[in-house]
Amino acid sequence: ELTIGTFLFALVIAVPTGILAAVRRNTWIDYASSFTALGGMSIPSFWLAMMAIIYFSVGNQWHPSSGYVPFSEDPKANVMAMILPCMVTGLRESAMLMRMLRSSLVEVVHMDFVRTAKAKGLNEIRMILGHALRNALIPVVTTSGLMIAGLLGGLVITESIFSIPGFGRLIVESVFKRDYVTVQGAILVSAVLVVAVNLLVDLLYAVIDPRIKAGKGVEG
């Protein structure tokens, strides 16, 4: 749940910001987005988590500072408890996705088919969203797959700060307790999930770019 929420939060921030930074290249929007992305990648997640707790929980009491409620027991309490952890981890991940999308889209908008569409008078929004963005998503999808695979077991700090009984925290606690059976099972599940994510990424390649077919390379 934390991994999915983090990824969705990162997409909501990274996609529009990356598109604006690429379309308005070398403007204040591009510079501000790049500076924000650099800051997001540089700020430690544990510091950002503590600042979020101080402001949103202690100072304003908008969200609970820690704890977890299963969605099946209380959906509203579950969502309220997961907003802060997803926001803290999502901000950092969105910075990496935004930089990747911007770089890829900047390269695509200078290709011949984009210039042809612009010469024919196609609306800029339709040209970016309908043509350029789709061709720029391949590296973004690759990065997203690696990100999800890393998040599945790499959110130990966030889970510890917000007292969430997550997968990464389970592995660490099992190592300290020398519970080898749990460690082996958790590692096996992690490996299966990583393989499944990578398989999904490979399948998405063919959906995004019809030239890519299973078992066939792209002829130059």
Side-chain angles (χ1 to χ4, degrees), residues 202-203 206 211-217:
D202 290 338
L203 295 177
R211 296 173 299 176
I212 300 176
K213 301 296 182 182
K216 297 180 180 180

Side-chain angles (χ1 to χ4, degrees), residues 23 46 133 136 165 176 188 215:
V23 174
F46 68 88
L133 181 60
F176 286 136
L188 176 61

Side-chain angles (χ1 to χ4, degrees), residues 152-153 156 159 164-172 185-187 189-190 193:
L152 289 173
V156 181
E159 292 167 355
I164 298 175
F167 199 68
R169 188 179 176 188
L170 172 65
I171 297 176
V172 173
I187 291 176
V189 173
S190 299
L193 290 175

Side-chain angles (χ1 to χ4, degrees), residues 25-196:
R25 185 185 179 189
N26 296 329
T27 64
W28 69 269
I29 297 177
D30 185 18
Y31 297 142
S33 301
S34 300
F35 179 79
T36 304
L38 180 61
M41 297 176 65
S42 304
I43 297 175
S45 58
F46 68 88
W47 182 87
L48 188 60
M50 291 187 290
M51 293 300 103
I53 291 175
I54 292 174
Y55 181 78
F56 292 102
S57 300
V58 178
N60 295 285
Q61 298 182 354
W62 291 339
H63 298 280
S65 59
S66 62
Y68 176 78
V69 179
F71 187 82
S72 58
E73 295 182 6
D74 191 342
K76 182 178 179 181
N78 174 267
V79 173
M80 294 299 293
M82 295 301 295
I83 286 179
L84 278 187
C86 293
M87 181 183 70
V88 169
T89 52
L91 284 175
R92 180 179 178 84
E93 303 302 331
S94 66
M96 183 170 59
L97 281 182
M98 191 279 287
R99 287 172 62 88
M100 181 63 66
L101 179 59
R102 176 197 174 277
S103 300
S104 180
L105 195 56
V106 165
E107 181 179 354
V108 170
V109 295
H110 290 90
M111 291 184 175
D112 293 338
F113 75 94
V114 176
R115 288 197 293 264
T116 301
K118 185 182 296 185
K120 290 182 177 180
L122 187 65
N123 181 272
E124 184 179 13
I125 297 178
R126 291 184 58 190
M127 179 185 66
I128 296 296
L129 298 181
H131 298 277
L133 181 60
R134 184 171 183 176
N135 287 269
L137 283 180
I138 294 294
V140 178
V141 170
T142 304
T143 305
S144 299
L146 297 175
M147 176 188 299
I148 294 175
L151 289 174
L152 289 173
L155 296 173
V156 181
I157 296 177
T158 304
E159 292 167 355
S160 300
I161 293 176
F162 290 98
S163 300
I164 298 175
F167 199 68
R169 188 179 176 188
L170 172 65
I171 297 176
V172 173
E173 291 179 352
S174 299
V175 171
F176 286 136
K177 296 177 181 178
R178 297 188 178 182
D179 186 356
Y180 301 119
V181 176
T182 303
V183 173
Q184 289 174 344
I187 291 176
L188 176 61
V189 173
S190 299
V192 171
L193 290 175
V194 170
V195 171

